[in-house]
Amino acid sequence: MVFNDEKLGDHFALKMWVCVSEKFELKVIVEKVIEAATKTKPERDLQLETLQHHLRDSIKGKKYLLVLDDVWNDDPEKWRNLRNLLSGGARGGWIVITTRSRFVAEITGSEPHHNLRGLSGSESWSLLKQTAFKEASRESNNSRIEAIGMEIVDKCKGVPLALRAIEKVLYKRTEAEWVKVNKNVHKYLTHEEGFVQPLSEDKDLEDTGYEYFKDLVWRSFLDCESMDYLGKSWFTMHDLMHDLACSVAGKEYCIVSLEKENVSERSRHVSFGNSSGEMGNTLLKATKVRSFAGNMDLPLYQQNYMASIANCKYLRMLDLSGSDIKMLPHSIGNLKHLKALYLSGNRYLLKLPSSLSRLQLLETLDLNGCSNFRTLPNKTSRLVSLKHLLIDGCHKLDYMPRGLGKLTRLQALRWFVVGRTTGKNVGQLSELNGLNKLKGELHILGLQNAIAKHGSTYLKDKLNLKSLVLGWGCRGGEDETHLQPLHQLYSLKVIRLSRLEALEIVSETEMQELVSGKSTTTFLPSLEELEINDCPNLKGWWKGDVGEASNPHLPCFPCLSHLIIKHCPNLTTMPLFPSVKTLKLKNTRSKPFQETMKLKMTKIEAPSSSTLHPLSKLVSLEIDEVKDLHSLQEEFLQNLTSLQTLMIRECINLTSMPEGMPGLTSLNHLEIIDCPQLSKRCQRNTGLDWPKIAHIERIRIEEGGIVEHYRGSRGTN
């Protein structure tokens, strides 16, 4: 609350919050501080020296507030090294450390440390009410409810984390249910009862699990540790909750190490610590273990370890990720209860034993990052319970096995590879026909190897797909002149089409069938990103799509925000894109873009039911190698009220800027690269078009490798 107070924003130029926890690694902490300061994650694998420079650049001359949360390191030398790196800020900055160790507070603090007390009873009750009575209600003033609540508060010992965990359990509960919770506060804090609701019949287990996960994050049981450039996140359990979970688990959970053999018949969940070496027959005692997680430092390829694992006949989850195993034993097929098998990152793994097909309860098979993996078992079709087949990074996978289409429960299959060869074990595109529960992303690669069948419907009924990527690996394939119908895939958010040499139209559907008797037609209502690359014969989207774009009924993508068209020199028209924010055109005709500009006064249907002009939301425009572009007409300016970045590259016939350029008041970044005539006219002060662009804050002109940077009038104020 204090950290987010507006008054601090007035006092400090920069505020940063970094969770340190037990693992005190200087490089990791520096990366987190840079990310907190710049809101951008540093590049991977940078050396500490480089990170030091980035850190100093980020805080140089700034009065900052840095909170290092949950510090456990008690090594004075490590702390001094970090403090030296953080010394480049302006005078008056503060570094605040939170810790549960008095010794850490003493060695790190230059000011007297402040011991936090637990919340008082009234403060705890006030915090509990904020969520338990989220909506205004007389119940919060009910004296009986308050009396029960004060008893619950007393059992939480003034710990905010415990109060937050119990708050939502009590939300919208009756007085009788408050009494029940009061009698079992410890159980509600440590077990699933109370906040895990029964599954509904119409919801998948995975969706329900995701709701539970979000609930745990909301309660601060889990914290988001980091996020990569793809949006994937890593979460850690709060130390307090981890200690509590270990206490509740007791002897059912154990970590095996060289120093301590704590595996027993009561062990149900076993993992290895950071030790390596010979462990003897430790695992032979854990005959009833339910889950096993290996460690990448452990020589799991040794036969005795694999034999021990195969002896765990009640095993539900087996994680051998990053263990450098070369093969799995045939005995893996004896683990009849196995539901999840994680093998990711095993670069030497080439194939799986045929006995794997006996695991009819297996739901997850993770082969992500097995870079040399070649073939799935021929009898993969017998894995009838399989829901998640994860093969990201299996770049050498030859083909999908025949019979894959029988796995009708499959939900996650990001990659489908069409094989270069034919044979009784090689599956074709028809295997996709039965996989109608697929969710998320689907990349279909090697389409040049597909046997084209007119009227095939392998994409039909994939209503839960969010992203579709169709790729031809090389030229000369037997690709079709049109694709499968896409307009039925209402949930699609991303479409990428690449190297479709023969493609002339995306859909065989007649455009007139879509627009007949209708106002502007909404097409692919959820689509946000569209990329079409290297389709040299593509003319348009539908049959008959050759008319002028001024047709008021031309179909549109209502939610499209990112559009990329590259190497499509014969493209004539495209559906409208009223909400597009980023537009890139490379080595294509200017006609679709110019005709869209002509619709400046046409009202078109928008997602919010309001009216918009085409491209009125455009923020970034990149025009590259558009050789037939001779001028940017005044229509170019009328709608681009939101444009901030304009890049023009290798448009050798573009001769001048429009007269109305000063009207683009949002434009603050202009780049002109290898456009000989235009570059000359835009030279600072001497160019004929300089007055048209002089208001732009940042201007970059590059010609023949010579780069000039200009600051316009708005950038010099």
Side-chain angles (χ1 to χ4, degrees), residues 19-206:
C19 183
V20 179
S21 198
E22 293 186 28
K23 198 171 184 179
F24 193 97
E25 291 186 9
L26 188 60
K27 182 179 177 182
V28 173
I29 296 173
V30 170
E31 289 176 337
K32 289 182 177 181
V33 174
I34 293 172
E35 184 176 2
T38 64
K39 312 304 180 190
T40 303
K41 195 174 182 68
E43 296 179 20
R44 294 182 179 182
D45 303 323
L46 292 179
Q47 297 298 316
L48 180 59
E49 184 177 353
T50 304
L51 289 170
Q52 290 175 8
H53 290 304
H54 287 186
L55 175 60
R56 291 197 172 102
D57 288 343
S58 301
I59 64 176
K60 185 177 181 180
K62 297 178 182 177
K63 186 163 68 170
Y64 67 80
L65 170 64
L66 171 62
V67 178
L68 297 175
D69 185 33
D70 198 23
V71 178
W72 286 91
N73 169 61
D74 56 6
D75 184 340
E77 183 63 26
K78 287 184 176 181
W79 169 244
R80 280 193 293 270
N81 291 338
L82 177 60
R83 187 175 58 187
N84 291 336
L85 291 177
L86 297 170
S87 61
R91 187 177 181 83
W94 277 82
I95 300 175
V96 178
I97 294 172
T98 71
T99 180
R100 280 176 273 157
S101 166
R102 182 181 297 273
F103 184 61
V104 171
E106 290 174 354
I107 68 169
T108 59
S110 58
E111 299 288 334
H113 55 265
H114 178 70
N115 293 319
L116 290 179
R117 59 175 179 80
L119 298 178
S120 68
S122 59
E123 290 168 336
S124 297
W125 173 238
S126 177
L127 179 60
L128 187 68
K129 286 196 299 182
Q130 287 180 16
T131 301
F133 303 104
K134 204 168 188 178
E135 299 167 357
S137 168
R138 286 183 236 167
E139 290 292 333
S140 61
N141 297 317
N142 184 316
S143 59
R144 294 188 303 276
I145 287 282
E146 183 171 353
I148 299 167
M150 291 303 291
E151 290 185 27
I152 293 172
V153 159
D154 185 59
K155 293 173 183 177
C156 290
K157 306 297 183 184
V159 179
L161 190 61
L163 289 163
R164 288 193 63 184
I166 208 73
E167 284 170 352
K168 203 173 180 183
V169 177
L170 297 170
Y171 180 52
K172 288 189 175 180
R173 295 293 183 101
T174 64
E175 182 179 327
E177 289 172 318
W178 274 61
V179 172
K180 180 181 176 182
V181 172
N182 185 30
K183 291 179 179 179
N184 299 280
V185 170
H186 178 71
K187 182 177 73 175
Y188 280 94
L189 285 172
T190 58
H191 291 86
E192 291 183 345
E193 299 176 47
F195 58 85
V196 175
Q197 302 300 320
L199 297 174
S200 61
E201 293 183 0
D202 60 344
K203 182 173 279 191
D204 289 331
L205 182 63
E206 288 76 11

Side-chain angles (χ1 to χ4, degrees), residues 466-486:
K466 296 292 190 294
S467 175
L468 178 63
V469 179
L470 304 179
W472 271 247
C474 61
R475 296 289 193 186
E478 195 181 350
D479 57 300
E480 302 179 66
T481 58
H482 66 277
L483 297 180
Q484 295 277 310
L486 299 177

